[in-house]
Amino acid sequence: MTTPSPPTSPPPAEHGPGTDTGPARGLETLRPRIPLPDAWRAAWITASPGVADPHAAPIFRRAWELPSPVSRATLHISGLGTVLAWVNGHPASEQRLAPGLTNASIAARAVSWDVTAQTAGSMRVCLAAELGRGFFDLHSPEVWMWSEAPWRAAPRLTAELHVTCEDGSEQVLPTDETWRCATGGLRFDSLYEGETWDEALEPHGWREPGFEDSEDSDSHDTRGTGTWAPVTVLAPDPGPSAALPRPRAAREIPTTGLPLREAMAEPILVQETLLPTWTDLGDGRFVGDLGRVVAGWTRLEPLTDAHLEVTLVHGERLADDGSVIAENAFIPTGRFQRDDVALEGRPFESHHTYKGFRYVEVRGAVPGRDAEILGRAAWADVPLVGGTDSSDPTLAWLEEAFVATVRANLHWVLTDTPTYEKNGWTGDAQVALPALLTRFDLRRFLTSWLDDFLDAQREDGSLPVIVPSAGWGYGDGQCAPAPEWTTLYPVLVDALEGEYGLDLWPIHGEAVEDYLDFELGRLDADGLAVGILGDYLSPGADGPPPEDVRLESSLLLHRALDVIARAGRSIHRERYARARDELAAHVLRVFFDAERSLFASAPLHGHLADDGAGTSAPSDPGAPAGPGATTDPGFRQTPQILALASGIVPAGHVDEVRAHLIEDIHMRGDHHDAGCLGMAHLGGVLVQAGRADLALAVARNPAPPSWESWRLAGHRTLLEMWVEPVRSRAHYFMGAGVDFVARDLVGLHRTAPDWATFELRPVLVPGIDRLAVEHRGIRAGWEQGADEDQRGDADGAFDLGIPRVTVHLTVPDGSRALVHLPDGRRLEVGPGEHRWEL
């Protein structure tokens, strides 16, 4: 059973459902630099029905004469789905794919940009915008119901340009019925399928103040549709602006339609420009290799004024003939990640879509002769605040690959893959959360995502497995229910409170309790949580693992209940503590074989047990189990790993459960047999068992499944599956186990919110000369010299009394550390640099 431990979150006043707590502490630091105005005057506008080609991206513009030159200007803007904006012909911001994804039945995100540089000294100001479809008006058929979203409609825009003139006057220039609309060069856009661009159809100069946008104008210089029309102003809809029953962390203001929610997360920016290496396929096709999978797009810079018709196909893999594989079983259209571009001398890069790709196949242009073709990697500008440094090649590779893969998934929310889905899968973040927080400052990004959880929660307390959701992921046939995924919600609230000292319980406490009560209300006849995903993608499985996944669902729900019971934020924490302990007891009753000290993969007792056969009836290990399975695939590692990590293993059995796990790893040739849930904890469990050497042996194993096998194969990002066939090559959840380096080998543990206090418990490992972690100003690690006299005992464990070792620690101002040195010394130290020789 679980033993209560000190709170990991601040224990202020107890907040129960319905308690008025006032503003949540710490969230003021997350407000945008430029806030939205308190009152919104602008209308929501959309393209008029008479504008040609409903598949083309609508463009909008308005110019104003001012009484005096501009001294300062700010643009506040929201688009459903994505918006690009220009002021006086210049980009309003470097931000891409703005303003951000939301449940568009509830709110629209809005951004605010300083556009003084674009307007200073001008007496005529023009605001122009182009709208993409995003997930608001997705046309591509797909399985996640975005194309069937209840909010789906033509893209729409609302904006206010706030101008202060040199004479002191202030102007608010809004979207209204005086705006004009048309279509331009972007004829098609889909987040999955790509874009079609025809420069000849782009009205020349339409973003400039002097452009004439009347219907009979001849100012198009033979370009564009030739037709500008008045916009359609959407009728006021007071329903969505009604106050939400629960507040959000982000500030909202009412409009005539959806309320505007200030974008809290960091903007998506172009972060790298990469020069591909090219291969000529010999038939007019060229394939460029960026060296790793990135999220972003391709930029074409013509080297000729001649007309070019270029096709760009993006993908993560190559076929046997060297061509790019661009296919997605979830998008049955025949087109995937493809840009069709017609150029006449001007550069092009994607406007409203992004791709996941390492390779780009080019047809219609010779790279370096007709055009420079560059890779543009883009992700949310989340600060990198830490990570690990190691002399071990496998661990060094894992660190770089994890960071690169996460960056490829920082788009609006934490996505699972930039290529195939672009969805905010809760399970991926669930397993990787500690590793994510060690490396990135995610207080803005994840606090923003938590608002989407509130949007997604149904009245019964249930949550979908992807957030945001258009209605998919709640029920059977939609990878749900899966508490092993959705229990991220309470865990994430607690983690952000502890990591950053934020006070999120006043916003999320009631919803967290509603969610936990929903899960507790659907326990099965054995008192267990029922899910269908479990230890997803264990080696050889193309989905759920072969064991009865109720064990894994229950242990993840146990973890969520434990978080709430320990943190002390709920007035019902004692009830959740009882539910936690009862759930642990049910897991032990149904799955724990006390005689053999192991956790069975099929129920030993309970309503689904196979006549008490339990582990005596092995079955096809490749057969998926799912809820209610009674067949036994034999010994599985992940049930042991999760039981050990959760602390439910009965006293007196811990060593034997560990021994069974270690034995199975050895029997497999020092290989793991774990999917995403097990791998997140395997390294830590082995280090706690005194087998850091085995944790490293599993990681370094040159044959799959292992991280080292990926390194040796030339991958620079993490794969979704351990063995072929592999789908995504930019899927971070199988790298979640990197957390054991900082947490278990370097031994860095937070013991108070915002790292006011922490502990350092380094574990020295033969064969690694240097290991260190940096996190938010903390730097800790060790270096050791080689010693030829080091020898393992009969079980392969090492004597850790290693000579010539230096442990170092830097404590930032405002923090204190308790250090447990390998030689037995226990020291408390304050800010400054510290070194100890062992």
Side-chain angles (χ1 to χ4, degrees):
M1 299 298 178
T2 302
T3 301
S5 56
T8 57
S9 298
E14 300 171 345
H15 305 309
T19 303
D20 182 8
T21 61
R25 183 179 64 253
L27 296 189
E28 65 279 357
T29 64
L30 307 184
R31 304 297 184 204
R33 183 174 59 87
I34 303 175
L36 291 173
D38 293 331
W40 193 254
R41 310 180 197 183
W44 282 95
I45 62 174
T46 190
S48 60
V51 171
D53 193 345
H55 294 287
I59 57 177
F60 304 85
R61 59 167 276 115
R62 173 70 159 91
W64 297 267
E65 298 286 348
L66 300 175
S68 172
V70 175
S71 63
R72 185 172 68 251
T74 302
L75 175 61
H76 308 281
I77 191 166
S78 179
L80 295 167
T82 57
V83 61
L84 284 174
W86 297 264
V87 177
N88 284 359
H90 303 286
S93 171
E94 295 180 354
Q95 183 172 352
R96 302 299 299 270
L97 301 169
L101 177 63
T102 56
N103 180 329
S105 295
I106 295 177
R109 295 203 190 276
V111 291
S112 299
W113 298 320
D114 185 340
V115 292
T116 301
Q118 294 90 327
T119 58
S122 301
M123 294 185 64
R124 184 173 174 84
V125 173
C126 173
L127 175 57
E130 177 186 84
L131 294 182
R133 302 190 183 278
F135 280 128
F136 179 73
D137 186 29
L138 184 70
H139 286 197
S140 305
E142 37 72 44
V143 303
W144 308 285
M145 296 174 57
W146 296 110
S147 55
E148 305 169 36
W151 56 71
R152 187 174 165 191
R156 50 198 58 189
L157 173 73
T158 188
E160 291 185 1
L161 183 59
H162 288 228
V163 174
T164 300
C165 296
E166 291 180 0
D167 64 2
S169 62
E170 296 185 354
Q171 311 284 330
V172 176
L173 312 175
T175 47
D176 57 22
E177 71 282 355
T178 65
W179 279 60
R180 309 285 288 176
C181 65
T183 55
L186 189 59
R187 313 311 297 171
F188 173 84
D189 69 284
S190 162
L191 283 169
Y192 296 112
E193 296 181 80
E195 300 186 11
T196 298
W197 168 262
D198 188 342
E199 186 184 333
L201 299 179
E202 180 78 351
H204 184 67
W206 71 275
R207 304 175 184 91
E208 304 288 343
F211 179 81
E212 179 55 57
D213 55 24
S214 62
E215 294 184 42
D216 57 356
S217 168
D218 59 359
S219 296
H220 301 300
D221 190 23
T222 72
R223 299 171 184 263
T225 63
T227 301
W228 285 81
V231 299
T232 294
V233 174
L234 297 171
D237 181 2
S241 291
L244 291 168
R246 292 168 178 153
R248 305 303 193 254
R251 176 170 167 263
E252 293 185 357
I253 61 171
T255 74
T256 57
L258 285 178
L260 299 184
R261 182 178 295 170
E262 287 180 332
M264 181 180 291
E266 290 82 356
I268 296 171
L269 303 174
V270 174
Q271 305 280 1
E272 287 185 81
T273 298
L274 300 100
L275 185 65
T277 57
W278 292 99
T279 299
D280 184 351
L281 298 185
D283 56 358
R285 294 178 300 162
F286 298 84
V287 172
D289 181 358
L290 300 183
R292 73 173 195 274
V293 178
V294 301
W297 47 84
T298 304
R299 177 176 174 84
L300 276 75
E301 298 179 352
L303 300 175
T304 174
D305 291 333
H307 180 77
L308 294 175
E309 293 188 7
V310 183
T311 296
L312 305 165
V313 179
H314 305 79
E316 295 182 0
R317 297 180 293 142
L318 296 179
D320 291 341
D321 65 357
S323 62
V324 172
I325 297 174
E327 58 189 24
N328 188 346
F330 299 134
I331 314 295
T333 67
R335 173 175 177 166
F336 182 61
Q337 294 205 142
R338 188 184 84 210
D339 291 339
D340 294 324
V341 181
L343 297 179
E344 296 184 358
R346 297 191 180 197
F348 167 83
E349 58 185 73
S350 295
H351 292 206
H352 299 284
T353 67
Y354 72 98
K355 294 89 174 168
F357 68 109
R358 173 175 173 172
Y359 304 100
V360 56
E361 182 177 317
V362 179
R363 299 192 293 268
V366 177
R369 187 194 72 184
D370 301 323
E372 288 290 349
I373 304 175
L374 307 171
R376 303 273 270 174
W379 61 80
D381 199 30
V382 172
L384 186 68
V385 295
T388 60
D389 174 57
S390 174
S391 61
D392 181 82
T394 304
L395 298 184
W397 175 91
L398 178 60
E399 177 68 29
E400 293 181 3
F402 183 79
V403 170
T405 308
V406 171
R407 282 174 161 169
N409 285 283
L410 291 172
H411 296 86
W412 300 318
V413 297
L414 271 168
T415 63
D416 61 330
T417 157
T419 308
Y420 296 97
E421 296 195 32
K422 298 178 167 70
N423 284 311
W425 282 90
T426 53
D428 299 50
Q430 167 96 292
V431 299
L433 187 58
L436 290 166
L437 294 178
T438 296
R439 288 151 183 84
F440 298 94
D441 186 338
L442 290 163
R443 71 187 79 200
R444 287 180 169 275
F445 199 85
L446 293 182
T447 300
S448 174
W449 196 23
L450 280 175
D451 281 349
D452 297 318
F453 280 74
L454 288 172
D455 293 346
Q457 189 171 41
R458 290 181 168 174
E459 290 187 5
D460 63 0
S462 62
L463 290 168
V465 292
I466 61 170
V467 177
S469 170
W472 187 89
Y474 291 90
D476 294 340
Q478 300 175 341
C479 291
E484 60 271 40
W485 257 234
T486 49
T487 47
L488 169 67
Y489 185 33
V491 170
L492 181 55
V493 171
D494 177 72
L496 294 185
E497 288 199 327
E499 179 69 22
Y500 303 115
L502 301 176
D503 185 20
L504 294 170
W505 191 257
I507 295 173
H508 294 282
E510 185 176 353
V512 163
E513 293 180 349
D514 286 350
Y515 166 70
L516 291 174
D517 291 345
F518 167 79
E519 293 294 355
L520 292 172
R522 53 178 293 274
L523 300 179
D524 73 357
D526 290 327
L528 298 175
V530 177
I532 68 170
L533 298 177
D535 189 33
Y536 206 65
L537 297 178
S538 59
D542 60 1
E547 63 262 19
D548 184 335
V549 302
R550 292 181 303 157
L551 186 150
E552 292 146 9
S553 300
S554 299
L555 289 179
L556 268 294
L557 179 56
H558 175 274
R559 177 194 180 198
L561 292 166
D562 184 55
V563 159
I564 300 305
R566 287 187 299 104
R569 306 307 310 279
S570 170
I571 61 174
H572 305 298
R573 58 185 176 274
E574 292 183 3
R575 175 165 66 87
Y576 292 123
R578 288 194 300 272
R580 171 201 65 196
D581 294 343
E582 290 170 1
L583 188 58
H586 290 310
V587 170
L588 292 170
R589 175 178 57 83
V590 173
F591 290 105
F592 186 59
D593 185 337
E595 291 184 6
R596 300 168 63 193
S597 293
L598 59 78
F599 286 81
S601 299
L604 300 172
H605 305 284
H607 79 291
L608 294 179
D610 188 11
D611 295 326
T615 58
S616 65
S619 65
D620 176 9
T630 59
T631 55
D632 182 8
F635 183 90
R636 300 283 294 170
Q637 292 178 10
T638 290
Q640 326 307 317
I641 296 167
L642 294 184
L644 289 165
S646 66
I648 72 162
V649 180
H653 291 272
V654 171
D655 288 343
E656 290 184 74
V657 173
R658 287 171 171 171
H660 286 304
L661 172 63
I662 291 167
E663 180 186 9
D664 191 75
I665 292 172
H666 283 317
M667 288 179 61
R668 295 177 182 273
D670 288 354
H671 275 124
H672 71 83
D673 187 35
C676 64
L677 298 181
M679 278 306 292
H681 297 281
L682 175 59
V685 165
L686 291 175
V687 173
Q688 293 302 312
R691 294 306 307 272
D693 62 305
L694 185 56
L696 289 169
V698 171
R700 294 164 168 169
N701 199 313
S706 70
W707 291 315
E708 176 66 1
S709 68
W710 290 350
R711 184 181 80 90
L712 294 175
H715 297 290
R716 294 176 59 195
T717 48
L718 300 168
L719 280 60
E720 182 179 15
M721 288 88 163
W722 286 109
V723 295
E724 295 291 348
V726 173
R727 186 185 65 149
S728 171
R729 284 158 168 75
H731 212 105
Y732 65 85
F733 69 173
M734 290 305 185
V738 70
D739 181 56
F740 94 99
V741 178
R743 182 178 299 266
D744 298 292
L745 295 182
V746 177
L748 188 62
H749 301 263
R750 176 176 52 80
T751 55
D754 205 22
W755 292 87
T757 64
F758 62 90
E759 291 188 359
L760 184 67
R761 296 175 177 265
V763 174
L764 307 179
V765 186
I768 296 181
D769 297 331
R770 183 186 72 258
L771 196 63
V773 63
E774 182 172 353
H775 179 62
R776 297 181 59 191
I778 300 168
R779 292 186 293 277
W782 45 261
E783 301 93 24
Q784 60 184 354
D787 188 340
E788 296 180 356
D789 293 332
Q790 294 171 11
R791 293 181 175 87
D793 62 21
D795 294 326
F798 283 86
D799 176 9
L800 297 185
I802 303 171
R804 300 196 304 277
V805 174
T806 300
V807 175
H808 62 85
L809 171 66
T810 299
V811 180
D813 291 341
S815 295
R816 294 194 65 81
L818 181 61
V819 181
H820 302 260
L821 294 174
D823 62 7
R825 282 181 287 172
R826 186 172 179 271
L827 309 165
E828 185 173 350
V829 297
E833 296 185 4
H834 309 277
R835 297 180 70 85
W836 299 275
E837 301 292 334
L838 305 182

